[in-house]
Amino acid sequence: MNEKVNRIEKYLDQLFPNPHCELIYHCDWELLLAVVLSAQSTDKRVNSVTPILFQKYPTLKDLKSADIKDLEQILRPIGSFHKKAYYVKEIARILEEDYNGILPQDRALLEQFPGVGRKTVNVVLSELYNYPAIAVDTHVERISKRLYLAALKDGPYEVEKKLMKKFAKETWGKRHLQMVLFGRYHCKAVKPNCEECLLRDICREQKKRK
Ligand code: SF4
């Protein structure tokens, strides 16, 4: 298993030596909101609406008192816009009123925000504070299962625990980003780019095809 994990790590390092988060943000709470908005959407779509959102409502105060219909209109292109407009307004209100506008660096507190789950907290803590965490999104889950790093029946939390055991703690944030990028640009859900992939011989997908 270690040898296989080493190969995967080496390949990810080769493809993405300096991975970075593709969501555009300028401060901690903008990242939190961008990650919340990215649920069931793509970073590209989120990046097409957040500049409009944050330009029109540049502060938490502005966002918490924004007209919900206007927020919905701005967020319409990313889907689930009723729910997401509510999350944006409510997160802004809680941050402003209960935390003086300062994002808490605490998992339990962050998970109490509406629309914020374990994956979102992992992305935020890892991206902003270099906190060791592996956020399991749809890409990370799919790749982990294809490469036998996790079982098919595993939910996101089981996948996360298995990845944390396999990868060195100091690389967790980087591995998450690399797997997201690998899933986004190479190992796509539909029509993965297998011809060019160097992990074909250890991939469940290939076995299935044979
Ligand atoms: Fe993904 Fe294809 Fe590579 Fe398997 S062989 S990891 S499905 S790109």
Side-chain angles (χ1 to χ4, degrees), residues 95-113:
L95 268 177
E96 231 269 312
E97 293 177 4
D98 300 348
Y99 294 96
N100 284 326
I102 298 160
L103 203 67
Q105 294 183 31
D106 180 287
R107 173 183 296 286
L109 293 177
L110 284 169
E111 282 185 0
Q112 283 172 17
F113 284 72

Side-chain angles (χ1 to χ4, degrees), residues 51-58 62 70 74:
I52 303 166
L53 179 71
F54 298 139
Q55 195 175 21
K56 188 155 185 191
Y57 301 101
D62 295 326
D70 189 45
I74 295 172

Side-chain angles (χ1 to χ4, degrees), residues 52-193:
I52 303 166
L53 179 71
F54 298 139
Q55 195 175 21
K56 188 155 185 191
Y57 301 101
T59 67
L60 289 168
K61 221 177 234 166
D62 295 326
L63 278 171
K64 79 164 187 180
S65 24
D67 175 50
I68 190 94
K69 290 280 165 218
D70 189 45
L71 292 182
E72 287 174 358
Q73 195 55 37
I74 295 172
L75 300 177
R76 184 178 279 268
I78 60 172
S80 310
F81 57 93
H82 293 300
K83 204 168 60 182
K84 288 179 180 175
Y86 165 77
Y87 290 156
V88 166
K89 214 170 142 59
E90 196 53 13
I91 290 173
R93 185 191 66 75
I94 297 171
L95 268 177
E96 231 269 312
E97 293 177 4
D98 300 348
Y99 294 96
N100 284 326
I102 298 160
L103 203 67
Q105 294 183 31
D106 180 287
R107 173 183 296 286
L109 293 177
L110 284 169
E111 282 185 0
Q112 283 172 17
F113 284 72
V116 176
R118 186 173 179 86
K119 186 209 80 179
T120 300
V121 172
N122 281 350
V123 173
V124 168
L125 291 179
S126 151
E127 173 73 12
L128 292 176
Y129 313 116
N130 220 10
Y131 177 95
I134 300 185
V136 177
D137 70 351
T138 177
H139 298 300
V140 176
E141 184 173 343
R142 182 177 67 254
I143 291 161
S144 301
K145 291 180 180 179
R146 282 179 172 171
L147 294 174
Y148 297 95
L149 297 172
L152 287 177
K153 62 175 175 39
D154 288 342
Y157 188 45
E158 280 71 43
V159 174
E160 181 183 329
K161 285 190 287 187
K162 288 184 179 176
L163 293 180
M164 288 194 296
K165 274 192 193 151
K166 291 179 169 84
F167 296 138
K169 196 171 181 177
E170 62 275 15
T171 68
W172 288 352
K174 180 168 89 162
R175 296 294 172 229
H176 151 75
L177 288 169
Q178 289 174 324
M179 288 174 90
V180 169
L181 297 173
F182 185 50
R184 197 171 283 161
Y185 300 111
H186 298 261
C187 189
K188 298 173 191 174
V190 183
K191 289 194 188 161
N193 193 6

